[in-house]
C-alpha cells in the first residue's frame, strides 16, 4: 500500500500511516487502522490524500469512501454512537477547538445512513482543522 509523505501536519491526517498520540502515553497505529478499514472499504490512496488536503472525498456517489471514513473514525476512537470524544478529537485533530466539535457533532443528525452521517461529521471536523492550520 502506498504511503503518504510526511509533513508538519501529518498527524492530523486520516490514514497518514503515522503513530498518533492518544490519552497521554498510549499510541494508536494509524497505519494498522488504515489497513483494517481498507480491507473492508477499499479506496484509492489519492482519495485519502484529497480528504486530508480539502476535507472532501472526490467521489461521493459511491458510499465506499464514506464508509472508509466511518470505519477509520470509529476505530481510532474519534466517534462512537454519534458522540465525538472531545479529548481524542482535540489530541489528534489539533488545532480544532471545543466549540467546533459541538457544532460538527450535529451534522446530518437526521441522516439514517451511518456512513453518510459520519462523513458529514468528518468533513466538518476537517474543515475546522484545515482552517486552523491555515491560520497558524
Amino acid at each position: 500500500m502506498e504511503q503518504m509523505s510526511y509533513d508538519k501536519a501529518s498527524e492530523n491526517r486520516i490514514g497518514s500511516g503515522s503513530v498518533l498520540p492518544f490519552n497521554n502515553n498510549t499510541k494508536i497505529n494509524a497505519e494498522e487502522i488504515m489497513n483494517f478499514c481498507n480491507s473492508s472499504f477499499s479506496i484509492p490512496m489519492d482519495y485519502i490524500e484529497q480528504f486530508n488536503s480539502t476535507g472532501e472525498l472526490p467521489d461521493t456517489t459511491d458510499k465506499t469512501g464514506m464508509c472508509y471514513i466511518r470505519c477509520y473514525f470509529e476505530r481510532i476512537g474519534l466517534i462512537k454512537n454519534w458522540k465525538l470524544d472531545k479529548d481524542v478529537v482535540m489530541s489528534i485533530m489539533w488545532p480544532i477547538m471545543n466549540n467546533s466539535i459541538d457544532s460538527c457533532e450535529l451534522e446530518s443528525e437526521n441522516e439514517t445512513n451511518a456512513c453518510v452521517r459520519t462523513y458529514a461529521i468528518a468533513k466538518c471536523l476537517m474543515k475546522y482543522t484545515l482552517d486552523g492550520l491555515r491560520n497558524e
Side-chain angles (χ1 to χ4, degrees):
M1 176 163 290
E2 179 185 346
Q3 287 283 323
M4 291 178 63
S5 59
Y6 178 82
D7 66 20
K8 179 182 178 231
S10 70
E11 61 272 10
N12 301 326
R13 297 179 172 228
I14 305 306
S16 67
S18 60
V19 176
L20 304 172
F22 181 73
N23 291 344
N24 301 326
N25 298 322
T26 307
K27 301 286 182 185
I28 296 173
N29 189 318
E31 185 173 0
E32 285 179 13
I33 293 171
M34 183 177 74
N35 290 336
F36 175 85
C37 293
N38 216 21
S39 68
S40 297
F41 308 107
S42 182
I43 61 172
M45 191 62 170
D46 61 330
Y47 277 37
I48 298 167
E49 290 170 351
Q50 181 171 330
F51 184 78
N52 286 328
S53 63
T54 68
E56 296 194 31
L57 292 169
D59 178 15
T60 55
T61 309
D62 177 5
K63 305 290 186 258
T64 305
M66 293 180 188
C67 290
Y68 173 88
I69 298 293
R70 175 186 174 210
C71 176
Y72 191 87
F73 268 57
E74 288 177 350
R75 298 291 291 188
I76 209 158
L78 291 169
I79 192 168
K80 182 178 182 181
N81 298 324
W82 314 121
K83 296 302 267 175
L84 291 163
D85 185 320
K86 290 181 183 183
D87 292 334
V88 176
V89 173
M90 291 177 77
S91 69
I92 292 175
M93 300 188 80
W94 173 90
I96 200 162
M97 304 303 274
N98 207 351
N99 61 340
S100 304
I101 297 169
D102 292 335
S103 173
C104 291
E105 204 168 66
L106 300 175
E107 287 292 314
S108 297
E109 66 182 332
N110 295 322
E111 175 61 56
T112 58
N113 182 301
C115 295
V116 173
R117 184 169 179 191
T118 304
Y119 176 64
I121 293 168
K123 276 182 24 176
C124 180
L125 290 172
M126 286 299 288
K127 176 195 175 302
Y128 284 112
T129 299
L130 292 170
D131 287 351
L133 289 171
R134 283 187 205 107
N135 293 329
E136 198 175 76

